[in-house]
Amino acid sequence: TDPRPVLLGAVESGSIVDKKKLHQAYYTPADLADEIVQAAGVTAGHSILEPSCGCGAIAAAIERRVGYFPDCVDNDPAAVAHMARLG
């Protein structure tokens, strides 16, 4: 994304908001997401909610493994917009 609004906000306020900390955005690498889905024993008959979907790594692993995209939510508007484009 465009860094100018963040930089201008930092200059004006004297501080920077760490959005990763604000939204607890610690994203799962794709290879780990595959391991998580396998370890959880997810199958096509399961109903799944991904409550902190972030960039969608776990949801994508579910789709790869069982062929459907789970229900996803997040408190970060940027993550929600990203997931809306994927799902």
Side-chain angles (χ1 to χ4, degrees):
T1 61
D2 185 357
R4 288 176 287 195
V6 173
L7 293 172
L8 291 173
V11 169
E12 290 176 4
S13 69
S15 66
I16 294 176
V17 175
D18 185 338
K19 292 205 177 201
K20 284 184 85 169
K21 286 183 182 178
L22 177 67
H23 295 290
Q24 296 186 10
Y26 303 100
Y27 298 125
T28 307
D31 58 336
L32 180 57
D34 286 328
E35 289 181 37
I36 291 168
V37 172
Q38 181 177 359
V42 175
T43 65
H46 289 147
S47 177
I48 300 171
L49 170 65
E50 194 356 347
S52 294
C53 62
C55 66
I58 295 172
I62 292 167
E63 184 177 40
R64 283 191 301 276
R65 184 169 177 84
V66 298
Y68 72 92
F69 208 78
D71 294 319
C72 298
V73 295
D74 204 291
N75 68 348
D76 179 359
V80 172
H82 172 75
M83 294 305 291
R85 289 189 297 273
L86 293 181

